[in-house]
Amino acid sequence: MNEILEQTLLYDFYGELLTEHQQRIYEDVVFNDLSYSEVAKEQGISRQGIYDLIKRINRILADYEGKLHLVEQFAKNRELASRIHALSEHYLAEKNLEDIYEIRRLSAEMMKLQN
C-alpha cells in the first residue's frame, strides 16, 4: 500500500482518537500539503516541533493499527468484495455454478472477519 493511502486510511480509522491539536497539525501537513515551516509559523512553534509531532502521530496511528487491525480488515474485506464482484460478473456471463460456490465461500470469509 502506498504511504499516502496508508496514512489516509490510518487517519480515517483512528484520527478521532488523537487530540484536536494533533488532528489539526496532521491534517495541515498530510492532507492540506502545508510545509512544516508553514504549520510551525501558524501554530507558533518550531519547524522541528512540527516534524517531531508528525512522526509521533504516525507512530500513534501505527500502534492503534498494530493492536486493532481495522485497516488490515478493511483491506481484506475490500479485496474479497472485489473478488465476489468479479465472480458474479463471470457467473452472469457464463452461468458457471462453481462461481456461486466460490462467492458463498468468500462471503463467509468476509463475515468471519467481522466477528
Side-chain angles (χ1 to χ4, degrees):
M1 190 177 328
N2 80 38
E3 187 177 342
I4 299 292
L5 177 58
E6 185 176 354
Q7 285 178 315
T8 301
L9 286 173
L10 287 172
Y11 188 79
D12 283 349
F13 279 90
Y14 307 114
E16 291 294 318
L17 301 173
L18 301 171
T19 67
E20 285 184 30
H21 176 72
Q22 289 171 326
Q23 289 175 19
R24 189 170 42 256
I25 300 292
Y26 196 80
E27 288 173 8
D28 279 347
V29 171
V30 175
F31 302 124
N32 299 331
D33 203 27
L34 298 178
S35 70
Y36 294 142
S37 298
E38 291 171 314
V39 177
K41 185 177 180 181
E42 182 180 297
Q43 295 295 320
I45 56 180
S46 71
R47 181 195 174 288
Q48 185 65 41
I50 297 297
Y51 175 82
D52 291 342
L53 182 58
I54 293 298
K55 286 193 72 82
R56 186 168 47 251
I57 291 169
N58 282 330
R59 271 195 312 273
I60 290 168
L61 295 174
D63 286 346
Y64 283 134
E65 176 60 14
K67 292 174 183 158
L68 301 173
H69 306 285
L70 297 178
V71 173
E72 179 185 337
Q73 287 179 345
F74 172 77
K76 284 180 183 177
N77 273 334
R78 187 172 178 173
E79 171 61 27
L80 290 170
S82 176
R83 289 171 54 196
I84 288 170
H85 179 76
L87 283 166
S88 67
E89 291 292 320
H90 186 262
Y91 173 78
L92 289 174
E94 303 292 326
K95 302 293 189 232
N96 182 353
L97 198 55
E98 291 299 316
D99 291 335
I100 297 299
Y101 295 128
E102 183 64 4
I103 288 169
R104 289 183 58 153
R105 187 190 71 73
L106 293 172
S107 62
E109 188 176 333
M110 284 178 77
M111 289 186 286
K112 280 186 213 172
L113 287 173
Q114 301 304 314
N115 295 328

